[in-house]
Amino acid sequence: MRSNRTAWGLLAPTLLVLGFAGLLPFFYVVYVGFFDWNVFSKTGDLVWAGANNYRRLVFDTEFLAALKRGIVFTLWTVTLEMVLGMALAQLLMREFKGKSFFRAVHALPLTVAPIAVGATWRLMTIPGLGPLPYYLRRIGIDYNIGRYAGQAFATTVLMDVWHWTPFVTLTLLAGLTALPREPFEQAMVDGANRWQILRHLTLPMLRPVILTALFLRIMDALRIVDEVWMLTGGGPGTATRYVGIHVWRVVFPKTDYGYGSAMSVLLLYFTIVLCWLLLTAITQARRETD
Amino acid sequence: MLLIACAPPAAPAPAAPAEEKAPAEEMSWWAKAAEPYKGVTIKGISESTPPSKYMQQVLAPAFEKETGIKVEFEVTSWDQMYDKEIKDMESGTGIYDFVYIEQDIIYAYLARDFLVDLTNFMDEHPELVYADLDLDDFTSFIDYFKDDQGHIYGLPFEAFLKVYLYRKDLFGDPEVQAAFKEKYGWDLRPATNFDEYAQIAEFFTEWGQEKGLELWGTTVQAGSHPAAFYEMAETIWPSWGVYNWGINMETWKATTANGGSLDSDKAKAALGFWVGMLKYAPPEATSSTWDEVAATFAAGRAAQGWVYGENAAWIATDETRSKVVGNVGVALPPTAPGVMEEAEAGKGYIGYYDGGALGIPHSSKNKEAAWLFLQWVSRKDFQGDFAAAAARIVRKSTFDDPKVKELDPKVDGYFTLMKEKGYLFAGAPPFPFHAQIREVILPYVLKAISGEMTPEDALDAAAQDVDAELIQLGYGQ
């Protein structure tokens, strides 16, 4: 009894901080989502709207288009990052000349703030100034992410992959390093090839780490704002106006706090559901395999 | 080359304000008035523009030296500035003692009662009113910072026109003139209407291609940024005869069916024209805001364009940042038939009279010290240097300042044009919902730029959405 009390006493400050920093703002956002509240409306009042903001969302083509763009962006970036990250982590498990240097250089993008990443890529891609348009034009490619939607989308994907693949690599590398050696040695003795070892040993044993990296990247990619904002401003047109940027424009410049809050809550719900579905699918597949 | 041109505007040359020329008793008034606030630190925020940098780097240090009041003057991007100052005033945290109030946003600030009524403040603190403040000497631009009762909420520090700049060297080149005349059948001169503008744009783009020059026919402020909306709403639409963003201020509606004009044929033609100019604009146009457009023109990459006047002086005179020094022509922007006549009659306007003031938020903890600073940057005897450094004029007397008169020919009569033709331009309409409606129209303008939608479809949808949004905001039920 006493030890329970002591434990709760020791936990109390942490719970208090978590409550204020995590739960309170979350419940406030949920609360505001049930109101019409634009501080620059004629009255500026908070007006009860019930579920109206959520009803609006279902028919809001701009929001749905932004959400779709965000999902496509997430699919591309996370897939590329997971595949590349795994390949690089496997590579770094081996010994080769310059490995330490490569690992340090590879991790460098992680140290750069997202806003600086966006600014750097913007400088690299500005027509008439940046090296990318210059060199691509020399090989006959008209590269202008302010004008061509496909190029803008591809560049945002490339930038995100450049920035976050090292995170996946290092996470998976830590997981690989922690795996026991015996099953691998035994598999090699039994004559298993690399693909069989990867499929039947590495991936299953690394599953918790892979899932952690995967979910973190999905959540980050779905809510991306700053890097893309700096690089394309959401354009050309609305081609890279991903859902995070759309929510930001509704909440801040448009100051439509009620509707923006509803969007945020729905986005959070959507992310949780997506991760849960993925987890269920992976678990199901694993069970069927076993 | 372009790297230099695309760099953010450097601080204006720190020409010392004329404080050393001021009479001793005048200087002592500042020191005496500031005595109770000596040692206080006031903090302010403004947009990163030549006038703000001049205040930050020249006027604020001089104020500190004279009064002992420390000034922390934050100069940041336009988006950041709004974000920071609105949040500060909204939550009442009191971080900022003075804030930049752009002419277009003041109506929203007044609706939210963010700002100190300076008329009342002066009545309450007559001992803090500088004898030579002379509010009557401000140009009519100060009227944009008054409420219905004529009370002032900000002292203007910058005001300029968005003018038409063109390359005098190119327009005056006999070879160019002959080729142009042969192709279009009329003598090359600054465009006065949109047909002329389009032909000039086409001609110079082709000329650049033929001669292997990095030269295009026009600037277009078409980045995925609110700047694209502003070029349409403040410059292009008015010059086609679509005023107040196409919103009828009696019915509070934008659709033609409800008395507005945002989806009118004129508005669609204007957007179609502007989007059509992209094929004659340099490749960076679709990434350009106001700063980049000025940099493009200064780099000699465009033969003509719409450029904010705050940049006119440095583009025309600063050889360290501009490749077109001595070759900048300044003129009124082109207009559609009948628009100039409407503007002359006071029934319309041909472009944007832009600018801003410094105001004091209610949340400020150092209102008195901030008020002294506001007056300091408005001092008549500082205005000549200020205008020369940043091409802005807010006082009538500044037009007659010797430094301005000396500079005027170098910027091809920009200041004279501002003095004599400024009345043809207008500020933004008095919308308390300025940013909210901008955010409704902006995506459609961007979609027209990218080709996602035709100008016609974009404006049909935009007008419908504006009508709905205005109802949501409590207007035009």
Side-chain angles (χ1 to χ4, degrees):
Chain A
M1 192 69 178
R2 170 177 277 183
S3 65
N4 265 353
R5 238 182 259 141
T6 311
W8 280 113
L10 290 170
L11 271 174
T14 311
L15 292 174
L16 209 64
V17 170
L18 277 177
F20 273 104
L23 292 177
L24 206 64
F26 170 70
F27 286 123
Y28 184 66
V29 171
V30 174
Y31 169 77
V32 172
F34 288 107
F35 290 87
D36 280 334
W37 187 25
N38 193 321
V39 293
F40 289 101
S41 69
K42 209 163 188 178
T43 61
D45 292 342
L46 209 72
V47 180
W48 173 253
N52 197 41
N53 283 332
Y54 292 93
R55 214 172 3 248
R56 265 176 79 189
L57 276 176
V58 179
F59 301 103
D60 184 342
T61 51
E62 292 295 324
F63 172 73
L64 295 175
L67 187 62
K68 187 179 157 195
R69 270 180 233 120
I71 292 169
V72 175
F73 172 80
T74 303
L75 279 174
W76 272 102
T77 53
V78 175
T79 305
L80 287 170
E81 284 161 18
M82 293 306 294
V83 171
L84 275 173
M86 176 57 93
L88 289 167
Q90 293 275 10
L91 179 73
L92 287 169
M93 285 297 286
R94 298 181 191 175
E95 288 306 320
F96 59 90
K97 201 177 170 186
K99 179 180 161 181
S100 302
F101 177 74
F102 175 77
R103 192 163 55 188
V105 171
H106 179 57
L108 268 181
L110 284 179
T111 64
V112 186
I115 202 88
V117 169
T120 308
W121 277 73
R122 181 170 161 77
L123 277 176
M124 290 199 303
T125 54
I126 289 179
L129 172 66
L132 274 175
Y134 176 76
Y135 286 112
L136 288 172
R137 193 169 59 179
R138 290 183 73 169
I139 57 169
I141 299 172
D142 180 16
Y143 175 78
N144 185 341
I145 62 168
R147 191 160 285 183
Y148 305 119
Q151 290 181 356
F153 175 79
T155 309
T156 59
V157 169
L158 201 64
M159 174 179 65
D160 196 79
V161 169
W162 175 82
H163 193 192
W164 291 111
T165 298
F167 166 77
V168 179
T169 307
L170 296 181
T171 307
L172 297 184
L173 185 63
L176 284 171
T177 315
L179 292 181
R181 306 310 311 157
E182 294 80 8
F184 293 92
E185 287 163 4
Q186 203 165 350
M188 279 192 277
V189 169
D190 291 343
N193 61 29
R194 279 185 194 165
W195 169 243
Q196 286 169 324
I197 290 175
L198 178 73
R199 190 178 163 203
H200 297 292
L201 279 179
T202 312
L203 290 179
M205 290 171 79
L206 207 58
R207 197 167 134 264
V209 184
I210 292 172
L211 283 177
T212 305
L214 183 70
F215 290 158
L216 284 174
R217 286 309 309 135
I218 287 174
M219 287 186 277
D220 276 348
L222 270 176
R223 67 182 183 188
I224 193 165
V225 176
D226 31 15
E227 288 157 88
V228 177
W229 178 250
M230 282 302 293
L231 179 62
T232 64
T238 51
T240 57
R241 189 166 172 151
Y242 303 132
V243 66
I245 293 177
H246 186 72
V247 172
W248 183 82
R249 289 219 73 91
V250 169
V251 174
F252 292 104
K254 205 173 171 189
T255 60
D256 197 345
Y257 297 146
Y259 195 45
S261 297
M263 279 183 187
S264 306
V265 172
L266 193 76
L267 184 60
L268 175 68
Y269 175 76
F270 179 80
T271 309
I272 291 169
V273 168
L274 191 70
C275 288
W276 177 77
L277 282 175
L278 206 61
L279 181 66
T280 309
I282 291 170
T283 312
Q284 186 67 29
R286 167 92 177 140
R287 277 200 199 113
E288 282 168 11
T289 313
D290 290 346
Chain B
M1 170 274 288
L2 188 60
L3 186 66
I4 296 166
C6 285
E19 62 183 297
E20 57 273 13
K21 292 179 202 160
E25 61 272 20
E26 195 175 79
M27 300 304 291
S28 67
W29 182 87
W30 292 100
K32 198 176 164 188
E35 193 62 41
Y37 318 108
K38 208 169 178 176
V40 161
T41 298
I42 56 171
K43 189 165 181 184
I45 185 166
S46 190
E47 187 190 358
S48 178
T49 59
S52 294
K53 288 188 175 179
Y54 186 82
M55 289 194 295
Q56 182 199 41
Q57 295 174 10
V58 179
L59 296 180
F63 179 74
E64 282 183 15
K65 195 175 163 193
E66 182 66 25
T67 63
I69 297 170
K70 190 169 164 41
V71 183
E72 285 183 14
F73 200 131
E74 186 180 344
V75 165
T76 185
S77 72
W78 179 82
D79 319 55
Q80 280 286 311
M81 176 195 76
Y82 278 133
D83 196 32
K84 286 182 167 187
E85 69 183 40
I86 287 178
K87 278 179 190 161
D88 180 47
M89 294 189 290
E90 181 76 39
S91 54
T93 40
I95 293 169
Y96 298 114
D97 298 301
F98 60 91
V99 292
Y100 174 64
I101 317 165
E102 193 161 357
Q103 176 275 322
D104 52 19
I105 206 76
I106 186 164
Y107 311 103
Y109 288 5
L110 292 179
R112 297 281 298 140
D113 194 25
F114 281 160
L115 301 169
V116 169
D117 180 335
L118 297 178
T119 303
N120 286 345
F121 189 87
M122 284 187 278
D123 289 343
E124 289 160 12
H125 299 279
E127 77 284 2
L128 294 181
V129 180
Y130 182 47
D132 200 20
L133 175 61
D134 193 5
L135 291 172
D136 291 336
D137 184 48
F138 281 89
T139 63
S140 58
F141 192 65
I142 198 172
D143 294 341
Y144 287 115
F145 301 92
K146 292 176 180 171
D147 66 8
D148 299 343
Q149 298 173 323
H151 286 209
I152 297 167
Y153 288 80
L155 291 186
F157 72 91
E158 65 175 16
F160 36 79
L161 310 174
K162 190 161 184 183
V163 286
Y164 170 63
L165 297 190
Y166 64 98
R167 288 271 302 275
K168 286 172 99 173
D169 55 334
L170 295 173
F171 277 60
D173 184 332
E175 189 190 347
V176 168
Q177 287 176 338
F180 187 88
K181 178 88 184 258
E182 191 185 345
K183 183 164 186 185
Y184 297 104
W186 56 280
D187 289 327
L188 178 61
R189 55 175 166 71
T192 57
N193 61 53
F194 293 103
D195 287 339
E196 291 176 0
Y197 192 95
Q199 288 179 4
I200 294 169
E202 181 186 59
F203 174 82
F204 279 112
T205 304
E206 289 173 359
W207 181 266
Q209 284 168 353
E210 283 166 19
K211 303 284 178 185
L213 301 170
E214 290 282 309
L215 175 70
W216 285 267
T218 180
T219 62
V220 184
Q221 190 175 293
S224 293
H225 185 275
F229 165 80
Y230 285 121
E231 181 146 293
M232 266 317 296
E234 295 170 341
T235 302
I236 308 297
W237 274 326
S239 54
W240 281 75
V242 178
Y243 310 118
N244 301 325
W245 304 6
I247 295 172
N248 183 321
M249 290 168 66
E250 286 172 9
T251 61
W252 297 111
K253 292 284 188 289
T255 51
T256 44
N258 290 309
S261 56
L262 186 57
D263 55 358
S264 64
D265 291 343
K266 270 197 284 192
K268 289 172 180 174
L271 183 58
F273 162 81
W274 184 66
V275 168
M277 286 300 99
L278 280 171
K279 60 180 176 285
Y280 306 130
E284 67 268 26
T286 44
S287 305
S288 293
T289 69
W290 27 71
D291 290 343
E292 288 84 9
V293 160
T296 288
F297 195 88
R301 292 166 67 82
Q304 59 178 354
W306 299 274
V307 179
Y308 286 89
E310 63 186 327
N311 297 300
W314 74 262
I315 292 174
T317 60
D318 187 347
E319 285 182 342
T320 63
R321 290 191 286 156
S322 172
K323 286 187 73 181
V324 293
V325 170
N327 294 319
V328 178
V330 179
L332 293 176
T335 50
V339 172
M340 190 61 82
E341 291 75 13
E342 283 181 349
E344 293 277 4
K347 294 175 183 168
Y349 50 99
I350 63 166
Y352 190 41
Y353 204 140
D354 193 11
L358 291 182
I360 304 173
H362 278 303
S363 51
S364 161
K365 298 179 181 81
N366 301 295
K367 296 184 180 70
E368 293 80 7
W371 167 245
L372 288 174
F373 183 68
L374 261 56
Q375 293 180 97
W376 177 267
V377 299
S378 307
R379 278 178 60 166
K380 281 184 193 173
D381 49 342
F382 289 178
Q383 297 305 304
D385 287 316
F386 200 168
R392 34 60 69 212
I393 286 184
V394 295
R395 284 185 176 276
K396 295 169 199 162
S397 57
T398 314
F399 287 114
D400 298 322
D401 187 284
K403 284 181 177 156
V404 171
K405 289 198 158 189
E406 187 192 331
L407 183 65
D408 196 37
K410 293 177 188 165
V411 288
D412 200 39
Y414 169 73
F415 293 111
T416 303
L417 183 138
M418 192 176 179
K419 183 181 179 184
E420 293 176 358
K421 300 290 182 185
Y423 72 95
L424 296 172
F425 296 75
F431 295 157
F433 43 73
H434 180 101
Q436 288 65 41
I437 295 301
R438 180 194 72 212
E439 288 303 310
V440 174
I441 303 174
L442 172 64
Y444 293 106
V445 172
L446 297 178
K447 284 179 181 180
I449 292 169
S450 70
E452 273 180 72
M453 293 178 92
T454 64
E456 291 77 16
D457 290 346
L459 291 186
D460 282 338
Q464 299 271 356
D465 281 6
V466 170
D467 281 5
E469 185 70 21
L470 282 169
I471 290 171
Q472 185 84 7
L473 290 167
Y475 296 85
Q477 302 288 347

